[in-house]
Structures are given as C-alpha cells and as structure tokens.
C-alpha cells in the first residue's frame, strides 16, 4: 500500500500560519467546544481576550470544512463583548439562565483547568452586518444544540 501525498498533506490546507485558528465565515454551523480560555495581549498589557476553540461538526459554508478547527474571539475591552459572551454561554446548555451566564464565578469555571464546557455542542449562524458607522462586522446568533448538556457553566 502506498501513501497518497495529497491525502497526507490535506491538513496543511486547514492549518494557519500562526497558532490561532481561523474564525467562522457567514453560514450556519454545529460546533463542539474544544477549549475556552482567557488570553492577555502581548502588545497591550491589560487587554484580555475571551477565546473559544471549536471543532466544526456541520457547516453550510464550503470555506469551513467539517472536522476543521475554528475560533471565536472577543476583546473584553470592547463594549459588545459582555453581551456576546453572555449569549454564547447561554447557548452551551438549554437550562443556563441569564443570571448564571452573568455570574463571574460561574464564568470563571469555564476557563478553569477542568474545562467543563469541553464537548458541549451548539449551533451558530454567522452573518455580516453594518455598524452605525458603515463598517462590516460578523454577527453571531448562538443556540443550544439538541444534544446540549444542561450542566454548564456550573459544571
């Protein structure tokens, strides 16, 4: 049996040049959480990013392959990040309330060493919208998947 070099190097097409995963493009997806973390900027001390890494389980976009990795990054110094993170956390399970998704102690558990949200599945729809200033941005509509766990973020 010989090795097909095209198949062997197929993963290179999905690899990024840096250690960051590409983000989602407009479309609808079923995602599985791989990791959630906080990352402090090397360039801007004190600037913190909330990063979620996913495995793509279903994709409506030909640009985003099933089984690829994607990330969602929120700059916590920006105004919309708080609402975006809250909506995301509420999509991790069908029983997560807004109060739980707003509680700093519950949220801190998401980035703890035991990573209670790893394996959670959720649906997201991504679309391009225009800001009041006329800039394009990606708007994410998060929903729990049918398979969503009910025990997150409280673990």
């Amino acid at each position: 049996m010989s090795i097909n070099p095209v198949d062997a190097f197929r993963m290179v097409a999905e690899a990024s040049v840096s250690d960051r995963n590409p983000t989602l493009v407009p479309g609808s997806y079923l995602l599985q959480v791989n990791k959630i973390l906080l990352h402090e900027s090397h360039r801007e001390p004190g600037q913190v990013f909330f990063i979620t890494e996913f495995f793509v389980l279903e994709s409506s976009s030909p640009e985003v392959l099933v089984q690829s990795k994607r990330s969602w990054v929120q700059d916590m110094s920006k105004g919309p990040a708080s609402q975006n993170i809250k909506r995301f956390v509420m999509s991790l399970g069908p029983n997560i309330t807004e109060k739980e998704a707003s509680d700093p102690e519950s949220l801190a558990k998401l980035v703890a060493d035991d990573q209670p949200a790893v394996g959670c599945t959720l649906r997201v729809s991504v679309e391009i919208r225009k800001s009041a200033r006329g800039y394009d941005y990606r708007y994410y509509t998060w929903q729990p998947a049918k398979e969503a766990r009910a025990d997150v973020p409280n673990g």
Side-chain angles (χ1 to χ4, degrees), residues 4-154:
N4 179 334
V6 172
D7 289 338
F9 288 110
R10 200 167 300 280
M11 72 193 107
V12 174
E14 281 297 305
S16 62
V17 177
S18 71
D19 61 348
R20 292 179 17 189
N21 296 315
T23 58
L24 294 167
V25 299
S28 297
Y29 306 95
L30 177 65
L31 305 172
Q32 182 180 54
V33 175
N34 180 46
K35 182 190 275 188
I36 300 177
L37 60 122
L38 295 177
H39 177 75
E40 188 169 3
S41 171
H42 299 292
R43 286 184 252 162
E44 298 285 330
Q47 184 178 23
V48 177
F49 296 95
F50 178 90
I51 302 170
T52 306
E53 297 176 356
F54 303 102
F55 291 113
V56 178
L57 303 177
E58 294 176 8
S59 171
S60 69
S61 172
E63 296 175 54
V64 179
L65 301 177
V66 170
Q67 298 181 2
S68 64
K69 285 185 181 178
R70 295 292 162 144
S71 292
W72 180 65
V73 179
Q74 290 294 298
D75 179 346
M76 295 180 70
S77 69
K78 305 284 185 199
S82 296
Q83 289 178 329
N84 295 339
I85 293 168
K86 187 182 292 190
R87 283 191 211 107
F88 164 76
V89 170
M90 290 176 70
S91 75
L92 290 172
N95 299 326
I96 298 172
T97 65
E98 185 173 350
K99 182 179 179 182
E100 289 173 315
S102 303
D103 178 52
E105 289 184 23
S106 292
L107 294 170
K109 290 179 183 181
L110 292 174
V111 298
D113 290 341
D114 64 345
Q115 291 281 300
V118 168
C120 288
T121 56
L122 49 110
R123 295 202 173 272
V124 65
S125 176
V126 182
E127 60 185 275
I128 300 294
R129 292 191 177 177
K130 288 262 187 220
S131 71
R133 295 182 180 168
Y135 298 108
D136 287 347
Y137 69 96
R138 291 182 185 161
Y139 185 82
Y140 295 76
T141 303
W142 301 100
Q143 297 177 2
K146 288 180 184 177
E147 307 84 2
R149 292 174 21 202
D151 62 339
V152 179
N154 293 327

